[in-house]
Amino acid sequence: MQKHNTLIVWLGVLVVIVIFLINYSSGNAMPSYDPARPAKETLELKGQALEILDTKCNICHRKQNPMMIFKEKNMKKRATKIYNMVFVERRMPKGDIRLTSAEYATLKKWLSTKNID
C-alpha cells in the first residue's frame, strides 16, 4: 500500500512539473510577485476618486457647502458620508451634475477597498 501512495505522490509531482513546463515554454511564465502592486493600485484608485469628487462634487460644494470640500487628506474621514449620499440616499450629486456609470463604479470600488487612505 505504501508503494501505491508513493507512486501517486510522484505522479502528482510529475503532473505539476509538466503543467509548469507547458506554461513556461508557451510564454505564460508565472507572474512575478510585486508586494507594492496593491498599494499602487489603491493610490491610483484614490486619485481617480478624488478627481471625480473634485470635478463633480466640489464644483457645488465650493459655493454651497465650503466646509465639505473634498481633499486628499479628508477623503477617508468622509468615505462613509460619501457612500451614503451617493449610493444609499442617492442625494448627490445634485442638480444637472451627473456621474457616469464609470464614475459610479470608480467611487464604489474606492469605497469598497479596505485601505481607502
Side-chain angles (χ1 to χ4, degrees):
M1 186 68 175
Q2 189 174 359
K3 276 185 169 182
H4 182 64
N5 288 341
T6 304
L7 181 62
I8 291 174
V9 169
W10 280 109
L11 190 59
V13 170
L14 182 63
V15 168
V16 169
I17 291 171
V18 168
I19 290 171
F20 175 78
L21 289 174
I22 290 169
N23 281 330
Y24 185 78
S25 66
S26 66
N28 295 328
M30 298 177 88
S32 61
Y33 175 69
D34 181 1
R37 185 172 180 204
K40 289 181 207 172
E41 289 175 2
T42 301
L43 282 174
E44 289 172 8
L45 189 57
K46 182 179 181 181
Q48 293 169 356
L50 179 58
E51 184 177 336
I52 294 165
L53 294 172
D54 192 47
T55 58
K56 298 289 179 113
C57 305
N58 284 343
I59 290 172
C60 188
H61 283 221
R62 282 186 185 95
K63 297 173 191 169
Q64 304 295 327
N65 194 356
M67 299 304 289
M68 282 295 286
I69 293 176
F70 300 107
K71 301 175 184 171
E72 187 174 0
K73 63 183 176 183
N74 68 17
M75 289 174 69
K76 180 179 180 179
K77 180 174 79 173
R78 296 195 173 141
T80 302
K81 185 84 167 171
I82 293 167
Y83 178 79
N84 286 330
M85 291 306 208
V86 175
F87 295 101
V88 177
E89 297 179 28
R90 293 204 171 264
R91 290 183 53 202
M92 297 290 167
K94 288 185 174 182
D96 294 335
I97 300 171
R98 298 281 180 249
L99 296 177
T100 66
S101 57
E103 289 168 332
Y104 272 111
T106 299
L107 282 178
K108 192 168 237 179
K109 187 174 179 182
W110 168 69
L111 289 165
S112 69
T113 58
K114 293 183 180 183
N115 183 12
I116 60 173
D117 292 339

